[in-house]
Amino acid sequence: MKVPEPGLGKGLKVGLPVVFTGLVASAWENEINGKDRHGISLRADAVTAKAGA
């Protein structure tokens, strides 16, 4: 997940439920050494701790 540094919410830690603001998923594919590769890249404007968690 790529998030611009100013978009990182305070108090984030491993295992904490989060909310993504402006989440966008983009499909990609390419060929590397004759093998087709594909996946989904994710980008968000911000990640913050879920309220009440």
Side-chain angles (χ1 to χ4, degrees):
M1 170 59 88
K2 290 183 180 179
V3 178
E5 190 171 332
L8 291 176
K10 292 184 180 190
L12 293 180
K13 60 184 177 180
V14 174
L16 184 69
V18 296
V19 175
F20 296 100
T21 303
L23 181 63
V24 176
S26 301
W28 60 268
E29 64 179 74
N30 59 28
E31 184 181 326
I32 299 174
N33 297 327
K35 294 185 178 181
D36 289 331
R37 308 272 182 185
H38 60 274
I40 304 288
S41 64
L42 302 171
R43 179 163 173 53
D45 294 328
V47 180
T48 53
K50 184 176 179 182

